[in-house]
Amino acid sequence: EPEVTQTPSHQVTQMGQEVILRCVPISNHLYFYWYRQILGQKVEFLVSFYNNEISEKSEIFDDQFSVERPDGSNFTLKIRSTKLEDSAMYFCASSPRGGSNQPQHFGDGTRLSIL
Amino acid sequence: QKEVEQNSGPLSVPEGAIASLNCTYSDRGSQSFFWYRQYSGKSPELIMSIYSNGDKEDGRFTAQLNKASQYVSLLIRDSQPSDSATYLCAVPLYNTDKLIFGTGTRLQVFP
């Protein structure tokens, strides 16, 4: 069964450094998402992306965050200057079509640890 | 602020019993509802979706939806120790694909 794949599985970074998290969505999916989950807390929406544009973003997704689809397969989340509170699991998800009735399929996540 | 509420548990049931997991949501306009299973340290895994009032069955899982009461539940029949996980209720914000997650209910199935 097709899967969303994410790399790396664990990223350790010094505070203030830039980090890029990578995702390969399911191949025929057109809508892509990033969520995060701080340890012990809810899964939180960050951003949705379609047709090379951000469709929607949350309050968390401020100017230090950006997303990009640099080629036909990868979807990346960049955090420009990391803070301690950015430590979390970051999940990429994809769906074949947009809309509230479309199930989203999640990757295994990247654990980001900021020191 | 639209909310999705779940009892955090843990809900402990013996092997073979029915586990009943509940979720309420605040957005009256919500049309789609999803249940995800999350093992400790792992990612959410989609197990059920439901869009219409009533019951939807898939193997040992049954999702139940009551839009008037803004309530959605998940029943797991013949619970197995491998069902021990956190079950997340997720509801898209009205007219968007932004999923709002509950805190999840931790289910423990003991032999």
Side-chain angles (χ1 to χ4, degrees):
Chain A
E1 187 170 326
E3 291 181 342
V4 176
T5 57
Q6 291 186 243
T7 55
S9 56
H10 190 189
Q11 174 78 46
V12 182
T13 302
Q14 291 288 333
M15 185 173 59
Q17 296 297 305
E18 175 183 286
V19 65
I20 297 176
L21 310 183
R22 291 181 166 80
C23 168
V24 178
I26 295 173
S27 63
N28 62 344
H29 286 192
L30 300 177
Y31 290 77
F32 315 124
Y33 311 87
W34 284 101
Y35 290 81
R36 80 171 186 190
Q37 187 175 31
I38 295 171
L39 187 64
Q41 297 188 23
K42 295 182 184 183
V43 177
E44 300 174 288
F45 171 83
L46 292 178
V47 66
S48 58
F49 189 87
Y50 168 70
N51 199 25
N52 280 322
E53 288 186 352
I54 290 174
S55 310
E56 188 155 0
K57 59 184 181 179
S58 71
E59 294 171 353
I60 303 166
F61 194 89
D62 61 22
D63 290 345
Q64 71 161 346
F65 290 89
S66 62
V67 290
E68 191 179 30
R69 188 155 163 82
D71 54 44
S73 58
N74 289 284
F75 178 52
T76 62
L77 174 69
K78 181 192 290 186
I79 309 175
R80 259 179 279 282
S81 177
T82 50
K83 304 172 192 168
L84 293 176
E85 54 264 37
D86 293 328
S87 295
M89 282 290 288
Y90 287 80
F91 296 110
C92 175
S94 69
S95 67
R97 292 173 292 281
S100 61
N101 63 342
Q102 294 298 312
Q104 296 175 24
H105 300 270
F106 283 69
D108 286 342
T110 293
R111 180 174 301 282
L112 178 62
S113 300
I114 307 300
L115 304 179
Chain B
Q1 180 78 356
K2 303 301 181 183
E3 297 286 340
V4 175
E5 302 287 342
Q6 295 181 258
N7 187 322
S8 60
L11 173 66
S12 292
V13 301
E15 185 174 356
I18 296 174
S20 177
L21 306 159
N22 304 315
C23 171
T24 58
Y25 59 94
S26 63
D27 188 351
R28 253 188 202 284
S30 297
Q31 298 294 317
S32 307
F33 307 87
F34 303 97
W35 282 100
Y36 287 83
R37 177 174 62 198
Q38 187 176 33
Y39 292 110
S40 182
K42 301 296 185 183
S43 63
E45 175 192 5
L46 180 70
I47 53 173
M48 287 287 285
S49 57
I50 187 166
Y51 308 102
S52 304
N53 279 329
D55 294 1
K56 178 181 177 183
E57 189 175 314
D58 184 0
R60 294 187 297 114
F61 299 102
T62 298
Q64 299 176 318
L65 175 60
N66 184 326
K67 290 183 182 178
S69 300
Q70 294 175 243
Y71 177 92
V72 58
S73 65
L74 179 70
L75 301 179
I76 306 174
R77 287 182 300 283
D78 188 24
S79 295
Q80 302 297 310
S82 58
D83 294 326
S84 298
T86 297
Y87 289 80
L88 308 176
C89 177
V91 183
L93 196 62
Y94 175 66
N95 218 26
T96 76
D97 47 8
K98 170 184 174 179
L99 288 177
I100 308 298
F101 281 85
T103 54
T105 298
R106 188 157 63 95
L107 173 66
Q108 295 176 333
V109 182
F110 56 91

